[in-house]
Amino acid sequence: MRSPAQRLSPIKASVDFEADGVQHGFLRLPYSRDDSAWGSVMIPITVVKRGDGPTALLTGANHGDEYEGPIALFDLARTLTVDRVQGRVIIVPAMNYPAFQAGTRTSPIDRGNLNRSFPGRPDGTVTEKIADYFQRTLLPLADIVLDFHSGGRTLDFLPYAAAHELADKDQERRCFDAVAAFAAPYSMRMIEIDAVGMYDTAAEAMGKVFVTTELSGGGTATARTAQIAKRGTLNVLKHAGIVSGAPEMGPTRWLDMPSAECFRFAEDDGLVEPVVDLGDPVREGDVIARVHPVGRTGLAPAEYRAALDGVLAARHFPGLVKTGDCLAVVATVED
Ligand SMILES: [Zn+2]
């Protein structure tokens, strides 16, 4: 018996990662089911390669209900010509393709949250198999990794590119240089609620330059955030030296999440009354949201306060909140 680490992935790429040119194809993942006995999940992939140079791995829809990444990456896959590239660009516009097709954060096949499934398993669930393929096949090919996120159906963010604080300060600096090159309206020094199992963590542990984003949310995109995603993608490729030209810079505001005090979680079910909007300045102790009980009239709302000075960087999206939901995130302003 081979251990999971030695077992081959069941995923087969129809593209040749070593061949020059533009190739559109699939990552084919066998998925036997009632309506397709020998069926497959077909994850679209594009490889654009010319000669020697660095490799960028660009991914969207790690969560299936986040749309700026797929918009920018389906567009790039269609329009990026080989003469513009020195090195290699691997584009997977919809990483968790079953979730993307369903318009849900997690996979409808196995409820798998791809961004909590790393390093994955070649003999696991469909979602774990996708994670394993990125872990053992695609990430090792990459020098720089850009993974798009937005708020999805339950969160809404200021548009920012982000990287994490890392033990390797040289790697951390290279990640933040790439965040700066992305040139989103906001740039974030981000902490995670729980980093275990994340694609971010897997890429960072391999020493890659890793950039992620949060670009609005609510289960849709806007004209503005789609443009931010498209421009940021090209900027990162220019920064990496894969596409020629200087990144198209714009003003960015640097934000920091210095501690877990940034997050406010609902301790009540109810109706959310926003008291401040995204980007609004807040002071420690300010009420940022109220949650009104809706079972009967005459009850006072619960008040949620900022634990630090900063700006509202994220908020719960639907009008009703449940106990345990992330209600708000306050980030500090660096400059
Ligand atoms: Zn996400």
Side-chain angles (χ1 to χ4, degrees):
M1 280 285 285
R2 291 175 178 218
S3 72
Q6 298 166 317
R7 199 186 302 268
L8 294 175
S9 172
I11 294 179
K12 297 286 178 270
S14 68
V15 292
D16 177 354
F17 294 107
E18 302 307 322
D20 279 3
V22 177
Q23 301 171 75
H24 301 289
F26 298 95
L27 304 174
R28 189 177 62 77
L29 164 54
Y31 171 42
S32 177
R33 57 198 192 269
D34 285 344
D35 66 348
S36 188
W38 288 5
S40 304
V41 172
M42 302 288 274
I43 304 169
I45 184 170
T46 292
V47 180
V48 183
K49 181 178 178 296
R50 187 167 75 96
D52 295 326
T55 293
L57 175 57
L58 312 177
T59 49
N62 183 332
H63 294 128
D65 61 348
E66 303 173 3
Y67 294 101
E68 285 81 0
I71 290 169
L73 297 182
F74 274 112
D75 186 70
L76 182 75
R78 181 178 58 81
T79 57
L80 185 62
T81 52
V82 72
D83 56 293
R84 294 176 69 197
V85 168
Q86 186 65 50
R88 180 167 56 182
V89 184
I90 301 171
I91 307 167
V92 183
M95 252 180 134
N96 194 344
Y97 196 66
F100 176 69
Q101 283 183 299
T104 52
R105 180 173 182 83
T106 62
S107 175
I109 296 171
D110 52 29
R111 307 311 327 169
N113 179 342
L114 181 58
N115 216 28
R116 301 293 183 276
S117 299
F118 281 80
R121 293 179 64 95
D123 55 354
T125 64
V126 164
T127 304
E128 287 170 333
K129 287 170 177 168
I130 295 171
D132 171 69
Y133 189 81
F134 275 84
Q135 175 83 29
R136 291 194 297 151
T137 302
L138 294 183
L139 278 177
L141 298 176
D143 299 289
I144 186 164
V145 181
L146 170 59
D147 183 40
F148 278 99
H149 289 261
S150 305
R153 294 198 288 196
T154 66
L155 288 169
D156 190 19
F157 286 88
L158 284 178
Y160 64 78
H164 300 106
E165 193 172 319
L166 299 173
D168 179 338
K169 292 301 165 189
D170 180 61
Q171 182 190 7
E172 179 185 299
R173 181 188 52 75
R174 289 183 287 124
C175 292
F176 280 104
D177 286 350
V179 168
F182 187 103
Y186 294 86
S187 300
M188 180 75 88
R189 178 176 283 270
M190 195 176 186
I191 58 169
E192 301 294 341
I193 295 170
D194 181 6
V196 174
M198 292 180 69
Y199 181 53
D200 315 46
T201 309
E204 288 160 358
M206 282 186 214
K208 309 301 180 184
V209 174
F210 184 85
V211 177
T212 188
T213 71
E214 296 289 0
L215 301 170
S216 78
T220 188
T222 65
R224 178 166 173 258
T225 53
Q227 278 306 120
I228 292 166
K230 287 180 169 185
R231 189 183 74 159
T233 305
L234 267 182
N235 278 351
V236 167
L237 293 177
K238 290 173 177 173
H239 172 74
I242 297 171
V243 168
S244 65
E248 189 185 320
M249 301 305 286
T252 193
R253 209 168 172 205
W254 283 87
L255 304 177
D256 191 7
M257 294 166 67
S259 77
E261 287 300 297
C262 293
F263 302 100
R264 294 284 93 166
F265 296 95
E267 297 181 2
D268 308 87
D269 292 358
L271 169 65
V272 181
E273 177 191 347
V275 178
V276 292
D277 285 319
L278 290 178
D280 285 352
V282 299
R283 306 286 295 182
E284 181 185 342
D286 285 354
V287 175
I288 53 177
R290 297 189 182 95
V291 175
H292 295 267
V294 294
R296 58 173 296 157
T297 56
L299 299 177
E303 292 187 330
Y304 290 81
R305 294 171 186 275
L308 28 76
D309 296 350
V311 295
L312 189 71
R315 65 181 188 118
H316 187 261
F317 189 76
L320 296 178
V321 72
K322 295 182 300 304
T323 300
D325 287 351
C326 183
L327 190 58
V329 178
V330 173
T332 59
V333 180
E334 283 201 341
D335 44 28

